Each structure stands twice: as structure tokens, then as C-alpha cells.
Amino acid sequence: MFKALLLDKTDAGVTAALTELDDARLPAGDVLLGVEYSTLNYKDGLAITNRAPVVRQWPMVPGIDGAGTVLESTHPDWKPGDRVVLNGWGVGETHWGCLAQRARLKGDWLVPLPAAFTPRQAMAIGTAGYTAMLCVLALERHGVQPGDGDVLVTGATGGVGSVAVALLSRLGYRVTAATGKTAEADYLRRLGAATVIDRAELAAPGKPLQKERWAAVVDAVGSHTLVNALAQTRYGGVVAACGLAQGMDLPGTVAPFILRGVTLAGIDSVMAPMPRRREAWQRLARDLDAALLESMTQEIGLADVVDAAQRLMNGQVRGRIVVRID
């Protein structure tokens, strides 16, 4: 038997409860993972609160991230005792996830835990931090250099935004952080932001082309915020889009693309190919300051996840939440 957060759907709605399950209920997979830490990501919050149709099969154990030790394996790449990390692959959506003491997974989904990180640190990073690193890699692939000008990070107090600010600043970029939480300006400056602006400057409908301000953008918000960021990006700049906190609509024009040569780079963390995942984790091990990571992290237990998910969806959480799986 093992403890897990189980989501179920009934005529009365969706329930989320900490329960004990038999190992026989675990889904198919060639690796049995003893989960030591998981996280609470935005997608987990959507699933647990049922604010969006994230879950595709019921019942479901949420948790799109996990870190721990292999207990059993028939996969050629993994053996008992290996330390691994999981991000995405539909786990927590179509396959039982890692907000549980055990998870049965496909070995092809797993990445070795970098030697630089403990399982707790890997989950402090989680999908949010891994996605932020994918965004940074996209900016680099498009040739953005630290001397090219300011880089805008939207949703900056969130998980993706916090890690993106810390990474970009350490790599030498001058970062402008956009947030609706003006009281968190000092927090963002400690992470490395040179300037903090109110998200209201970007959240309302704007002109198709605006004053050129940004050499590049990491956007976790979408909707009008993304459209305005595109309209303010300098000639030849790149915008990495990875989130939809404001909305999944894109109410803009093609003007930034055809008149300024702006590139909109979509960032997918769920199904990203393994070489890119390994590169992202290797770069995180090299470029993310462990002290800054700890400063943006809070730890909770598995029993606290439902309440934390409500706070996350109500905009009452900054940075990263690590879930200790006792």
C-alpha cells in the first residue's frame, strides 16, 4: 500500500483526497519509482481545483513532476537504486503522476538526476524551472546576446518567471520583470531583475506596433500580455511563449512578424525530445544559483497539497512549491 493524492469525478463534481492505494492499481510501466519529492505546478493546480480540463482519465493521481529512486525496472537504461527525474509526458493527465509515494512510469520518460542536485532541489526546479531553461535555450538559439538589450520576463513571480529571472541575470542579461504583485519587487530584484514593472502596462489591448523595448521576451502569460510584448520587441528579436496565465488567445496582428522580423518561439515542455531535456537539465546544473533557488522555494507535505493548489490558483503563491512525499 502507498499514500497518494487521488482525484476522482462523480456526479457531484471532482474530489481530491489523500488516500491509500494498493500497488496493483498502478498503471502499466517498466519502472517503479519511489517518489521522494514532487512539486505543485500551475497545471497541477488546474487539475486539482478542476479549473480546466487537464485530467483526461479518471480516477487520476496528479503530479506532473517527480524525483526519487528506482525500486524496480525492466527497462535497459535503469536499475534499482538509480536516482531519476520525471517531467511531463502526460503524467498527471493521462497517466498516474507523482503526488504519491510510488509511481509506475515508462523508462523512456526519465532523466538522470544531475549530480549537482538533490531530489528536493530538482523538484524546486520542476517543470517550471525546466521550462524556463528551455526558454533561455530558445533565446540563445536565435542569437540573443546579453549586450543586445533588456529581456522581459512576464509572470515574473511565478515558478517559470522566477527561475527565468534568476537564470537570465546570472548569464549576464539585463532583466525587466513584469508582475501584478508590486509588493514582491524586492524579491524579484534579489533574483536579479534590474527593473520591475507593473503587469498592467501589458495586460490591456494595445497598438499592433509599439515602442521597441525588448531584445527578447520570456512570456508565461499569453493573451494581451503576449501580444503587447510582441509589439514592443525590437527588430529581429525573439519571444519565447510558454504559458497562458492570462489566457490562451492571441488577439494581435502579424505586424511584429512582417515589419520587425520578430520571432515567436513556442516552448513545449511536456513532449520535448530527450536530447533537449538532457541539455536543459545539464544547463540548469551549471547556470542556476542554488542559493537563489532555495530563496524562491517553499516546502509542504503531501497532505497540504489541496490547500496549496487553491492558493496557487488564487495568485497567492510566489516562486516554487516543493512537495515532500513522506
Side-chain angles (χ1 to χ4, degrees):
M1 302 290 290
F2 65 97
K3 291 181 180 180
L5 180 63
L6 188 69
L7 308 183
D8 207 353
K9 191 174 187 179
T10 67
D11 292 341
V14 172
T15 61
L18 188 61
T19 187
E20 286 200 357
L21 300 171
D22 191 284
D23 286 14
R25 293 192 62 183
L26 287 166
D30 49 15
V31 172
L32 179 63
L33 180 66
V35 183
E36 298 170 34
Y37 287 91
S38 184
T39 72
L40 188 62
N41 291 290
Y42 187 75
K43 185 179 286 186
D44 297 315
L46 290 172
I48 293 166
T49 62
N50 196 37
R51 295 201 187 182
V54 170
V55 176
R56 307 298 181 183
Q57 296 181 14
W58 303 93
M60 177 58 62
V61 174
I64 66 174
D65 289 334
T69 302
V70 173
L71 301 177
E72 301 172 4
S73 174
T74 58
H75 191 282
D77 292 347
W78 308 109
K79 64 183 185 302
D82 287 342
R83 311 298 289 278
V84 298
V85 176
L86 169 89
N87 305 111
W89 296 113
V91 171
E93 302 173 68
T94 60
H95 188 99
W96 280 17
C98 294
L99 283 169
Q101 291 176 317
R102 293 190 174 200
R104 185 170 285 132
L105 308 163
K106 293 185 179 180
D108 289 344
W109 295 342
L110 304 175
V111 173
L113 175 70
F117 298 132
T118 64
R120 183 185 185 278
Q121 288 173 318
M123 290 297 93
I125 295 166
T127 283
Y130 149 67
T131 301
M133 190 73 246
L134 291 176
C135 291
V136 172
L137 292 172
L139 303 192
E140 291 178 348
R141 284 197 303 274
H142 285 85
V144 181
Q145 300 291 327
D148 292 343
D150 281 18
V151 176
L152 172 69
V153 176
T154 67
T157 59
V160 174
S162 292
V163 178
V165 170
L167 284 170
L168 288 163
S169 175
R170 187 167 188 183
L171 290 169
Y173 294 90
R174 189 178 189 280
V175 179
T176 295
T179 180
K181 302 174 183 176
T182 54
E184 300 289 4
D186 287 344
Y187 162 77
L188 291 168
R189 291 190 180 98
R190 287 195 298 271
L191 295 182
T195 306
V196 179
I197 64 173
D198 194 316
R199 70 182 179 194
E201 294 185 29
L202 301 163
K207 295 180 180 179
L209 286 177
Q210 301 169 36
K211 180 181 178 180
E212 296 179 56
R213 301 176 68 182
W214 322 117
V217 178
V218 173
D219 176 65
V221 178
S223 192
H224 291 293
T225 296
L226 174 55
V227 170
N228 286 319
L230 287 163
Q232 295 173 10
T233 298
R234 296 179 181 178
Y235 190 94
V238 58
V239 177
C242 64
L244 43 68
Q246 185 179 11
M248 62 166 38
D249 57 327
L250 191 66
T253 75
V254 298
F257 310 122
I258 63 174
L259 297 180
R260 289 185 180 162
V262 172
T263 296
L264 177 58
I267 306 300
D268 166 54
S269 62
V270 178
M271 305 302 290
M274 189 55 68
R276 189 158 293 173
R277 289 170 181 268
R278 289 176 179 263
E279 180 186 12
W281 277 101
Q282 289 166 2
R283 285 290 303 276
L284 284 161
R286 190 191 82 182
D287 296 329
L288 183 58
D289 184 291
L292 286 181
L293 177 64
E294 182 61 30
S295 75
M296 68 178 80
T297 301
Q298 57 181 294
E299 181 177 316
I300 63 173
L302 190 56
D304 305 318
V305 167
V306 175
D307 287 343
Q310 293 287 353
R311 290 190 288 108
L312 177 64
M313 300 315 298
N314 291 336
Q316 298 169 335
V317 171
R318 78 175 189 193
R320 300 287 297 126
I321 296 179
V322 168
V323 181
R324 182 183 65 258
I325 309 295
D326 292 320

